[in-house]
């Protein structure tokens, strides 16, 4: 068949569905660390917002932010650099209320 018919070039593999299904729900290892949260954090760091999961899924995941901050041993990927990056990209309405004032999205 034509090149566009091969899986790597199909719309599924270039879609938000792929990113959401693979990186945000199935994958448990990425360069940021081990576990679903590390993979989800990688999506925020490395993918265009176009490929992010649906807003309700992103909001639910980000609801953990205050817990990550309060943790005696926060996730290894939850660095100041990751937080700055996220606060500059994530629309404030998706962030937990207590985190929103730090958003730099205009």
């Amino acid at each position: 068949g034509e090149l566009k018919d091969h899986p790597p070039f199909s719309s599924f593999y270039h879609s938000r569905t792929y990113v959401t299904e693979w990186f945000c729900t199935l994958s448990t290892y990425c360069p940021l660390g081990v576990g679903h949260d590390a993979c989800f954090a990688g999506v925020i760091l490395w993918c265009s917002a176009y490929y992010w999961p649906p807003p309700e899924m992103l909001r639910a995941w980000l609801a953990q932010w205050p817990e990550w901050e309060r943790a005696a041993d926060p996730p290894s990927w939850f660095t100041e650099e990751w937080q700055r990056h996220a606060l500059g990209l994530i629309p404030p309405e998706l962030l937990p209320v207590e985190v929103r004032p730090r958003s730099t999205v205009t």
Side-chain angles (χ1 to χ4, degrees):
E2 293 182 32
L3 190 59
K4 68 178 176 59
D5 294 330
H6 291 274
F9 298 96
S10 72
S11 61
F12 175 77
Y13 284 90
H14 284 127
S15 71
R16 291 173 235 183
T17 302
Y18 173 73
V19 171
T20 300
E21 290 296 318
W22 179 250
F23 292 102
C24 298
T25 58
L26 299 174
S27 187
T28 57
Y29 176 80
C30 78
L32 287 182
V34 176
H36 292 293
D37 286 339
C39 296
F40 209 121
V43 168
I44 303 301
L45 192 61
W46 298 312
C47 294
S48 160
Y50 174 82
Y51 292 100
W52 290 357
E56 58 279 359
M57 184 178 187
L58 186 56
R59 186 181 294 111
W61 180 74
L62 289 166
Q64 302 172 87
W65 188 306
E67 294 172 36
W68 299 326
E69 285 184 322
R70 289 189 299 265
D73 188 23
S76 60
W77 55 266
F78 192 67
T79 62
E80 287 185 27
E81 178 184 356
W82 184 90
Q83 291 176 54
R84 265 193 316 276
H85 183 82
L87 289 169
L89 293 174
I90 299 169
E93 63 272 12
L94 299 180
L95 295 167
V97 174
E98 58 269 41
V99 178
R100 289 179 189 175
R102 292 182 259 158
S103 173
T104 58
V105 173
T106 56

